[in-house]
Amino acid sequence: MQEGGTIVTLIHLRRPNYPPHFYCKLNEFVFKGRLRLLYMLTRSYQWFVSAHSYINTGPMRVLVTGGSGLVGKAIEHVVLQEGGKLEGEEWIFLSTKDADLLDVGQTRAVFEKYRPTHVIHLAAKVGGLFLHMKENMHFLRDNLRINDNVLQTAHEMGVTKVLSCLSSCIFPDKTTYPIDETMIHNGQPHDSNFGYSYAKRMIDVQNRAYFQQFGRRYTAIIPTNVFGPYDNFNIENGHVLSALMNKTYKAKTEGTPVTVCGTGAPRRQFIYSLDLGRLIVWVLREYEEIAPIILSVNEEDEVSIKEAVEMIADALDFKGKIQFDTTLPDGQMKKTASNAKLRRYLPNFTFTPLQEAIKKTCDWFVANYDTART
Ligand SMILES: NC(=O)c1ccc[n+]([C@@H]2O[C@H](COP(=O)([O-])OP(=O)(O)OC[C@H]3O[C@@H](n4cnc5c(N)ncnc54)[C@H](OP(=O)(O)O)[C@@H]3O)[C@@H](O)[C@H]2O)c1
């Protein structure tokens, strides 16, 4: 049987994103008698009461938007193959075939169909550096629309928790390092991807507003550069590691050198999609903050593009020449992110070593060459 109730939250007026001082679930009967008392008690202080209804259907029914992509497939693997799914839970993985989330009618219809209690929101217009530079307007508008459709529909349907996906590339361009979760809005993003960045930053703004006005506990994660099976390996539009894997594999089969765009000097923290999938399931179950959390390997595990391409060459047994086209742009030279917050929660989480994760991804790419996104 579907049960419902009301969540009462005390919110600090000057620091609305601050974790609530008091937070409890009451059924409607108890709630009615107590709200006035609570309100009177808190009027003279800097707190106000927010109350909203929630649905409680027992085990979670989790809707994953963008479930057919790199990160969605990794979560599916963790949930279905690694025992991540608990008894009675239902996990639904969506793609554009189920609903075009740019369209509010289709978004509502798919939420009506599955009535989720929890949402992992991954769907986005994503791409590599060169596509971003060409299409900042599309990245801005499409992502604003998708995110607003998903968050507002989740709110209207009483979804208990939404976990959305930001990215470490949305941080200010001119900043101090390492960057952390508190610095998202501290300055302009890099020029190359400002459309995508501002759209993603608005998710954090919306999460704060849904919490302040309605007490919704919607949050966001900030992964660094993700790679793994089911990535987009397209040489022009793919992410850097996957595009380089495809380039190197091609060069090997054609007996030509590999040409890397730029100097190879920029440094990046890469996270294997399966590690990210495991962390996302943890965030969904355990992380209670509205403020986002960076999901990244440690700072000392950051590598240069040159080091990464050498690992790829090793994994694919490529013996040819690796050359760098220094006439092409590098993008941001570094964007070192701190995972100190994650480490406070999960000090012992073990990331797959980069060389091992690159080898697994290259093996998947070669084995699935005919169907992989190239
Ligand atoms: N990859 C990274 O390095 C990285 C880093 C940081 C953050 N992120 C974030 O992680 C999330 C997932 O990224 P990903 O790398 O897994 O992307 P991906 O492999 O390109 O997958 C994108 C997913 O979004 C879906 N989608 C796109 N437009 C849609 C629309 N209009 N309606 C419904 N679904 C739509 C796609 O469905 P179809 O398969 O049907 O097209 C696909 O399932 C994104 O929010 C991204 O910004 C990614």
Side-chain angles (χ1 to χ4, degrees):
M1 194 186 77
Q2 272 213 0
E3 286 179 0
T6 302
I7 292 180
V8 176
T9 313
L10 284 191
I11 299 163
H12 198 281
L13 287 173
R14 292 229 189 99
R15 300 174 66 190
N17 207 25
Y18 198 73
H21 187 61
F22 167 80
Y23 171 69
C24 73
K25 292 178 182 181
L26 303 168
N27 65 36
E28 295 289 352
F29 182 73
V30 177
F31 167 72
K32 273 182 192 146
R34 302 283 165 85
L35 177 61
R36 200 173 155 71
L37 179 66
L38 264 175
Y39 182 67
M40 284 165 62
L41 280 175
T42 55
R43 265 189 82 163
S44 50
Y45 299 97
Q46 296 275 313
W47 302 86
F48 77 90
V49 178
S50 159
H52 69 88
S53 60
Y54 71 98
I55 48 170
N56 177 9
T57 53
M60 293 194 300
R61 193 157 51 245
V62 187
L63 194 68
V64 183
T65 75
S68 54
L70 162 67
V71 181
K73 282 286 180 190
I75 297 173
E76 189 179 50
H77 181 91
V78 171
V79 167
L80 301 181
Q81 314 292 325
E82 295 184 2
K85 178 177 164 206
L86 302 184
E87 209 181 316
E89 284 179 0
E90 209 181 316
W91 288 70
I92 303 115
F93 294 87
L94 299 181
S95 75
T96 46
K97 290 196 191 96
D98 301 289
D100 180 357
L101 300 172
L102 282 165
D103 182 289
V104 70
Q106 292 188 39
T107 308
R108 284 192 186 129
V110 84
F111 271 70
E112 283 285 2
K113 181 173 175 188
Y114 293 110
R115 302 296 301 185
T117 59
H118 293 67
V119 171
I120 298 177
H121 172 41
L122 307 172
K125 178 175 167 67
V126 301
L129 172 68
F130 295 95
L131 191 64
H132 276 284
M133 285 164 64
K134 267 197 301 200
E135 294 190 16
N136 265 302
M137 184 62 205
H138 284 154
F139 277 98
L140 175 69
R141 198 149 178 260
D142 287 2
N143 286 315
L144 283 174
R145 283 168 66 194
I146 291 173
N147 298 335
D148 188 53
N149 286 343
V150 168
L151 288 171
Q152 180 60 17
T153 305
H155 166 60
E156 283 167 6
M157 298 210 177
V159 171
T160 307
K161 182 164 182 176
V162 180
L163 178 171
S164 301
C165 206
L166 314 183
S167 166
S168 60
C169 67
I170 71 167
F171 278 105
D173 181 31
K174 296 196 175 28
T175 184
T176 52
Y177 294 99
I179 40 190
D180 69 37
E181 293 86 352
T182 64
M183 296 157 78
I184 297 177
H185 304 285
N186 285 1
Q188 294 195 21
H190 194 263
D191 245 7
S192 57
N193 65 351
F194 69 89
Y196 174 84
S197 300
Y198 278 117
K200 286 280 184 190
R201 287 181 185 191
M202 286 309 292
I203 292 180
D204 178 53
V205 176
Q206 281 181 282
N207 285 345
R208 282 164 49 195
Y210 278 118
F211 177 67
Q212 189 193 50
Q213 200 169 336
F214 302 110
R216 291 279 180 225
R217 306 198 64 78
Y218 297 168
T219 190
I221 55 163
I222 311 176
T224 46
N225 298 256
V226 192
F227 72 99
Y230 300 96
D231 202 353
N232 178 3
F233 292 84
N234 185 281
I235 289 173
E236 300 294 323
N237 300 331
H239 292 110
V240 59
L241 269 196
S242 313
L244 283 170
M245 287 176 192
N246 191 1
K247 250 188 193 181
T248 309
Y249 183 62
K250 254 196 162 138
K252 183 182 168 184
T253 49
E254 291 168 5
T256 56
V258 174
T259 305
V260 180
C261 302
T263 62
R267 302 183 70 77
R268 296 288 182 264
Q269 283 154 300
F270 293 104
I271 179 166
Y272 186 41
S273 59
L274 288 169
D275 291 339
L276 180 61
R278 291 167 197 134
L279 288 171
I280 288 176
V281 173
W282 167 77
V283 171
L284 187 73
R285 294 192 192 288
E286 310 287 343
Y287 182 74
E288 290 290 340
E289 295 183 37
I290 309 302
I293 181 165
I294 291 174
L295 302 181
S296 171
V297 298
N298 299 341
E299 288 162 50
E300 60 272 21
D301 295 326
E302 189 172 49
V303 294
S304 69
I305 301 298
K306 182 169 182 292
E307 288 165 313
V309 77
E310 284 164 1
M311 290 186 199
I312 292 170
D314 201 37
L316 287 169
D317 198 27
F318 173 74
K319 304 276 187 231
K321 193 173 171 215
I322 300 172
Q323 55 198 23
F324 295 86
D325 184 348
T326 54
T327 63
L328 291 171
D330 272 330
Q332 276 171 282
M333 288 314 284
K334 67 176 203 166
K335 36 188 183 178
T336 318
S338 162
N339 68 0
K341 186 178 195 178
L342 174 67
R343 285 301 184 200
R344 280 198 295 278
Y345 280 101
L346 294 179
N348 299 321
F349 183 85
T350 309
F351 289 93
T352 310
L354 184 58
Q355 179 74 72
E356 183 186 328
I358 284 181
K359 174 78 178 125
K360 285 183 169 156
T361 309
C362 286
D363 288 350
W364 183 92
F365 175 63
V366 173
N368 294 277
Y369 187 77
D370 293 338
T371 51
R373 280 188 282 170
T374 49

